[in-house]
Amino acid sequence: MDEYNRFVDWDKMDVTAQSQDAKELTCTEFQELKQLARQGYWAKNHSLRAKVYHKLISNIPCRTVTPDANVYRDIVVKIVGKRNSSSLPLPEFVDNSLVPTYCLNAEGIGAVRKIILCIANQFPDISFCPALPSVIALLLHYSKDEAECFEQVCRILACNDPSKRLIDQTFLAFESSCMTFGDLVNKYCQAAHKLMVAVSEDVLEVYSDWQRWLFGELPMVYIARVFDVFLVEGYKVLYRVALALLKFFHKVRAGQPLESESVQQDIRAFVRDIAKSVSPERLLEKAFAIRLFSRKEIQLLQMANEKALQQKGITVKQKRQNVHLAVHAENFKSEIVSVKEMRDIWSWIPERFALCQPLLLFTTLEHGCSLSRFYSHSEGHEPTILLIKTTAKEVCGAYLSTDWSERRRGGNKLSFFGTGECFVFRLQPEVERYEWVIIKHPELATAGSEPENHAPPASSTLSSGSVPPDPSDRLSPFLSARHFNLPSKTASMFMAGSSECIIIGGGDGQALCLDADLNHGRTSHCNTFNNQPLCSESFQISVLEVWGFRD
């Protein structure tokens, strides 16, 4: 340990968890490294972990000119001067982030600030990077000196492999990652998401904390285990662990009153004290048990979220618009749902569209019960929300990801289209949301989703009546059925329309069918919605509304 103990306060470290057994890492194959990282092969040997980190980071493809240890030695005196390193001001791009001590000694704590200032000098393009203090503090444990730590952090920041995302360095990248995390929570942690919506005025603000949970609140031994896998597998690991943290928080704290003024503070406290309830091994086990979308699909969602932010002009830090502003009581009026119910719907939709305000496109009370007028008012808008109130006072609806004009691509033949982001919901008599089962449970498809480390197959499995690949400028490419290796029988089967009816559902049967007069509807309980009734099997429509999204 002597070689790597310069910045470590061993009195604060759990030395009993460290092994002195001499180990070496000889494998170079990705799958074997991945397995060893997840198992914690180098976690209990400080010196071995330092050597593994050095090896993994040195293999990161970087820009031709990347600052190294010699650059640090040249500039540190000029930048820091004779100032006390422990009180050095931090650059704005760390956003007043916590500077974790991670069992560092006084020299190590001061070194974190010195390295941050030198990185700010060498990377003028970094505009927002709140994770940086934590990464530096962690890597100081496994560096011989400040210069070596500086070089390793620079290599992570200078990675130029477009398929290997590591640390967000702009507000646009950071904010879109928060939106992406919110989308993943909505998909994979529905019970926790329901709790967040119930106890928080701004659920988006809660999810914007996800990187802080990892790079700030999580104890040293936990973040080190996460970093072991992160250096091998990349950014997706961070989403996995953050989702696992939220799942554990919900499991431990569900049904209990808040301990602080906000759920945001409660989650931070839970993560800080996670050792009381969850071991590092159990946390990672939970994280990797989540059947998360592939890197390709997550990248598509990230790109869509970035594009939505750019179109809204949100590229630098500013106050987020929350759901209460998007669905404003003074500007919203529906004959079917209340403001609160619309806010519940808004909490379910993809984050990039939650930036927008609802816009009423069609209502049977004003436009009449005509399917052709339904189409003429709805076409050109993507996505849309369909709301139905029955004469029995049942309220249900659907989030429809695709423009209704796509129905024409099948000619006169009724053909299904839409993406896996579509879902249906019920608001009365009680609130329930149902997802497309093929996407939520890909193992139920006869052909599984694409392998995680491979691009989508070049040949499409879609039927001839389905939607061809989206144009490159479409805002919602994520979860299009072509990103799944699904058989043509089930691919792109969510919504369909003709001059005679509208069908929302698919798979083994119809979930919701509306007649051409928009007065009558039918439902059937099929695999698409987990065999749960959406509303009465046959119903009369009292009011039908279609809502779009206004910038």
Side-chain angles (χ1 to χ4, degrees), residues 288-306:
F288 292 110
I290 300 171
R291 288 197 57 148
L292 207 57
F293 293 124
S294 73
R295 289 184 184 87
K296 176 68 175 178
E297 290 142 7
I298 291 176
Q299 183 182 18
L300 285 169
L301 179 56
Q302 186 91 17
M303 291 167 58
N305 284 332
E306 284 195 10

Side-chain angles (χ1 to χ4, degrees), residues 116-245:
I116 290 175
L117 288 178
C118 289
I119 286 174
N121 175 267
Q122 293 295 301
F123 289 83
D125 292 339
I126 296 180
S127 59
F128 199 81
C129 192
L132 188 60
S134 176
V135 172
I136 293 172
L138 178 63
L139 287 178
L140 273 171
H141 272 262
Y142 308 103
S143 303
K144 297 175 183 176
D145 55 31
E146 294 173 14
E148 183 177 273
C149 180
F150 171 84
E151 179 174 326
Q152 292 193 84
V153 176
C154 286
R155 291 194 64 82
I156 292 173
L157 294 171
C159 174
N160 62 358
D161 183 349
S163 66
K164 194 177 183 71
R165 181 185 179 132
L166 293 177
I167 297 179
D168 296 329
Q169 299 173 44
T170 66
F171 182 75
L172 181 63
F174 173 82
E175 189 74 350
S176 63
S177 78
C178 295
M179 294 168 65
T180 301
F181 179 69
D183 287 326
L184 295 175
V185 172
N186 209 348
K187 183 73 69 174
Y188 294 102
C189 305
Q190 291 184 18
H193 181 67
K194 193 172 182 178
L195 174 64
M196 296 303 109
V197 172
V199 301
S200 173
E201 289 190 359
D202 186 0
V203 69
L204 304 183
E205 194 68 31
V206 176
Y207 297 151
S208 71
D209 241 12
W210 80 278
Q211 287 196 29
R212 175 173 173 150
W213 304 342
L214 304 175
F215 297 111
E217 306 292 358
L218 207 58
M220 160 73 188
V221 65
Y222 289 77
I223 188 58
R225 285 298 308 276
V226 173
F227 210 75
D228 291 345
V229 191
F230 167 73
L231 286 178
V232 177
E233 300 186 40
Y235 200 91
K236 183 179 174 182
V237 170
L238 305 182
Y239 284 133
R240 283 189 176 279
V241 176
L243 289 170
L245 287 170

